[in-house]
Amino acid sequence: MGVVSDVEGAARRFWIRSHRESVFAAYTPFVVCLASGSLELDTFRHYIAQDVYFLKAFAQAYEMAEECADDDDAKEAIFHLRRDVLEELKLHNSFVEEWGIDFAKETTPNSATVKYTDFLLATAAGKVEGEKGPGKELQPFLGPIETSHRYKKWIDSYSSESFEGSALQNEELLDKLSISLTGEELEVIGKLYHQGMKLEIDFFTAQPIVQRTVVPLSGVLAPAEQRLVLFSDFDLTCTVVDSSAILAEIAIVTAPKGDLDVPGTPHSRKSSADLRNTWNALSRQYTEEYEQCIETIMPTEKAEVFDYEGLCKALEQLPDFEKRANARVIESGVLKGLNIEDIKRAGERLKLQDGCTGFFQKIVNKEELNADVHILSYCWCGDLIRSAFSSGGLNVLKVHSNEFTYNESLSTGEIVKNMESPMDKVRSFKDILNHCSNGKHLSVYIGDSVGDLLCLLEADVGIVVGSSSSLRRVGSQFGVSFVPLFSGLVKKQTEIAQGDSCSWKGLPCIAEVWFCTRLVFGIGSTKTKDPNCG
């Protein structure tokens, strides 16, 4: 994994395209245990042995590339890169002596290592089928004393300026050699870059972990005794665009050109122009009043300690606001006359956050997790949510939201109001957990807004996605801590290594995540929240 330069060259474009994969590597059990300093020595020895096989193949690939290069500057650059790999092998030899690794007794390369080395050599031979270095990410977890972290020396070596410089040389050479390539050739190289990144993840994932870990989630569960109950918000947690805007757009584009809103006529509808004007006015009013409401519930002074009771009292002021907003939407007639088939088609085409569908598929398909998955949402129309997941084969997800009422296949404009406030969400959250069959569970809640705050706190693990400033402002004012997800996991892994239980309950902390991981999905949306839906 290389350093991204400031120049918008091929290396940067390829890196951005593969960024999600690079983050996955950080959340493998191997890396989390390594960062915590609790990685068992046998696992580290195995890793060093596998990495030696990889580095030897890397050096051989550079040698082959150097022979093929027809540019003197390129030859020299590749020579220096190969020299750096040989220096890295010397570093590994020092660990061989320090950790007592006997390669004669080590196993042969595992399948992930073989795939990675075969890929390197095939690419160097021209047989193609169409960041920051890893140490820098771990260095903040090293203790101030040399002996306080078992793998401090190794992590420091991979955080050094020389290692970062070598990675940057790779990026610069790729940019230079890519200048004269055609778009088709660049696409081939981009695919190879992406494939290499996926093989890197497989390499870390393949390291044998026999100790108990906090990732993936199955590492903290004993399925026969404990069940994973996963909750997620929908709008801007799962989706890229708020569902209220989607439903309004369906109404607008399917509305008649002229005004057919004749009083007393069944399913009569306003013209598309009138609907758009009405929706825009409702949106502006919601946004203005929402900001005012948030300011109203904020205490004058920041709490010195976590004040759950005060937070609940503050959030109890939100239901009236949300109910008034929903009543205005119903009275406006914006949601009147929508065809359920149009809604389902829109749901099937609804753009979800990158990795969202795959994440839920892994959760529900992994039998050892024994997972139960629930969607809790202010969305006006549960049919939209269900259709959004049905295309990914996720009909098993249980949806708890508001619902449209229909006359035959057309919406009446009324809403069955099941969930309009943070209090409704947390009530539903608690009811679901109370009805768990065996009473033992690990609850995880994923959300992005103020409406999710109480559920995030009640869950064993609360994970924030997105970039809602109001969520962090309100939470912080009442003493809630927001902790980066990776450092939170490393801290928990350290506690487990020190003999603490795997229970996630503790101080009121919400893990905040900004990138895709094996636990969550999606880069935080930079879009502002659309009105009238949570």
Side-chain angles (χ1 to χ4, degrees):
M1 293 186 288
V3 176
V4 179
S5 66
D6 293 332
V7 180
E8 190 66 25
R12 181 172 178 80
R13 294 198 302 273
F14 296 156
W15 170 255
I16 292 173
R17 190 185 302 177
S18 302
H19 195 197
R20 183 161 64 96
E21 281 73 17
S22 75
V23 178
F24 282 158
Y27 288 90
T28 57
F30 173 80
V31 174
V32 171
C33 290
L34 179 69
S36 71
S38 66
L39 184 69
E40 293 185 354
L41 282 176
D42 284 345
T43 300
F44 185 72
R45 291 189 183 106
H46 182 275
Y47 163 75
I48 291 292
Q50 296 296 315
D51 203 33
V52 166
Y53 290 120
F54 168 74
L55 290 174
K56 287 180 177 178
F58 216 155
Q60 185 180 347
Y62 274 138
E63 185 176 12
M64 295 165 67
E66 186 180 352
E67 291 174 356
C68 295
D70 54 8
D71 178 273
D72 290 341
D73 290 340
K75 278 183 177 291
E76 184 179 1
I78 295 171
F79 168 79
H80 287 297
L81 290 171
R82 178 171 178 268
R83 185 187 61 187
D84 290 341
V85 173
L86 295 176
E87 287 297 319
E88 193 174 345
L89 277 167
K90 291 181 181 178
L91 172 66
H92 279 55
N93 288 334
S94 69
F95 284 107
V96 167
E97 297 175 3
E98 182 174 345
W99 298 105
I101 301 172
D102 184 355
F103 285 117
K105 296 180 180 179
E106 292 295 330
T107 58
T108 57
N110 61 33
S111 59
T113 304
V114 171
K115 287 180 181 179
Y116 207 170
T117 55
D118 286 352
F119 169 78
L120 282 173
L121 297 176
T123 303
K127 300 176 182 177
V128 298
E129 298 178 356
E131 154 175 303
K132 292 180 179 179
K136 285 290 188 182
E137 302 294 340
L138 309 186
Q139 201 171 35
F141 302 104
L142 299 178
I145 304 174
E146 183 68 27
T147 57
S148 63
H149 194 292
R150 178 182 284 175
Y151 303 106
K152 179 177 174 60
K153 181 179 177 181
W154 187 87
I155 293 174
D156 279 342
S157 297
Y158 280 89
S159 304
S160 65
E161 291 185 5
S162 61
F163 187 84
E164 290 293 302
S166 178
L168 185 57
Q169 277 184 300
N170 265 302
E171 300 280 355
E172 292 172 345
L173 181 60
L174 177 57
D175 285 341
K176 179 181 178 181
L177 297 178
S178 299
I179 292 175
S180 60
L181 299 181
T182 65
E184 185 176 348
E185 290 169 331
L186 283 171
E187 185 63 25
V188 171
I189 293 176
K191 290 179 179 179
L192 291 171
Y193 189 106
H194 190 254
Q195 177 67 11
M197 191 68 75
K198 290 194 292 186
L199 289 168
E200 177 96 351
I201 300 165
D202 292 343
F203 182 78
F204 284 120
T205 304
Q207 303 309 314
I209 302 289
V210 294
Q211 66 196 92
R212 200 169 196 188
T213 69
V214 295
V215 287
L217 282 172
S218 57
V220 298
L221 293 174
E225 304 172 1
Q226 194 177 34
R227 186 173 193 178
L228 169 64
V229 187
L230 177 70
F231 299 85
S232 177
D233 176 50
F234 183 66
D235 288 306
L236 302 185
T237 297
C238 295
T239 68
V240 174
V241 179
D242 196 286
S243 67
S244 62
I246 298 295
L247 292 167
E249 193 62 25
I250 297 171
I252 292 167
V253 299
T254 61
K257 297 294 183 181
D259 192 348
L260 298 182
D261 190 12
V262 180
T265 304
H267 314 313
S268 61
R269 299 180 67 185
K270 294 181 178 180
S271 69
S272 57
D274 284 345
L275 283 175
R276 191 171 296 280
N277 290 334
T278 300
W279 174 251
N280 289 339
L282 289 168
S283 298
R284 286 193 299 270
Q285 185 175 2
Y286 181 93
T287 300
E288 293 171 1
E289 292 186 2
Y290 178 80
E291 293 301 327
Q292 293 171 4
C293 186
I294 293 298
E295 291 301 325
T296 300
I297 68 174
M298 294 285 281
T300 55
E301 295 183 4
K302 185 174 181 178
E304 295 183 3
V305 295
F306 178 49
D307 183 8
Y308 185 77
E309 183 178 353
L311 176 61
C312 289
K313 288 181 178 178
L315 294 180
E316 285 172 356
Q317 300 177 49
L318 291 182
D320 288 341
F321 159 74
E322 295 288 356
K323 289 177 181 178
R324 287 196 305 271
N326 285 339
R328 285 197 298 267
V329 171
I330 295 171
E331 292 167 5
S332 72
V334 168
L335 304 179
K336 189 176 183 180
L338 277 69
N339 191 301
I340 189 171
E341 295 304 320
D342 290 334
I343 293 171
K344 289 180 178 179
R345 280 192 292 270
E348 291 169 358
R349 295 193 295 265
L350 187 60
K351 186 173 182 181
L352 301 180
Q353 297 279 9
D354 186 26
C356 175
T357 300
F359 166 74
F360 283 122
Q361 287 172 335
K362 288 179 181 177
I363 293 294
V364 299
N365 292 332
K366 203 165 188 176
E367 293 183 4
E368 60 266 34
L369 286 179
N370 191 25
D372 193 17
V373 184
H374 299 263
I375 304 296
L376 273 57
S377 175
Y378 291 174
C379 176
W380 294 322
C381 181
D383 290 313
L384 184 74
I385 300 176
R386 286 184 282 271
S387 61
F389 290 120
S390 64
S391 58
L394 293 169
N395 296 316
V396 295
L397 271 61
K398 301 174 180 66
V399 175
H400 311 266
S401 70
N402 304 303
E403 301 283 353
F404 276 178
T405 61
Y406 298 93
N407 187 336
E408 297 179 347
S409 62
L410 300 178
S411 65
T412 65
E414 295 292 327
I415 301 173
V416 179
K417 302 168 185 175
N418 299 318
M419 199 164 296
E420 297 183 284
S421 72
M423 320 312 295
D424 290 338
K425 276 197 172 185
V426 76
R427 190 179 302 113
S428 180
F429 174 89
K430 291 179 178 179
D431 286 345
I432 292 167
L433 292 182
N434 287 336
H435 286 86
C436 281
S437 56
N438 60 11
K440 296 180 180 180
H441 47 70
L442 174 73
S443 60
V444 178
Y445 190 94
I446 306 170
D448 74 293
S449 68
V450 172
D452 300 307
L453 191 47
L454 294 180
C455 291
L456 287 163
L457 289 165
E458 289 287 346
D460 294 309
V461 183
I463 302 174
V464 176
V465 296
S467 54
S468 170
S469 60
S470 57
L471 168 62
R472 277 180 288 282
R473 282 177 56 218
V474 173
S476 298
Q477 202 68 9
F478 286 93
V480 177
S481 299
F482 293 83
V483 179
L485 182 59
F486 185 69
S487 62
L489 289 174
V490 172
K491 181 177 183 294
K492 180 59 64 174
Q493 186 65 47
T494 303
E495 293 172 357
I496 292 174
Q498 293 171 348
D500 292 353
S501 72
C502 281
S503 172
W504 285 88
K505 282 293 187 186
L507 294 175
C509 254
I510 293 180
E512 180 178 20
V513 63
W514 294 90
F515 303 104
C516 301
T517 73
R518 288 189 179 274
L519 299 181
V520 293
F521 51 85
I523 297 176
S525 173
T526 57
K527 296 179 180 293
T528 56
K529 176 178 167 60
D530 271 307
N532 298 310
C533 200

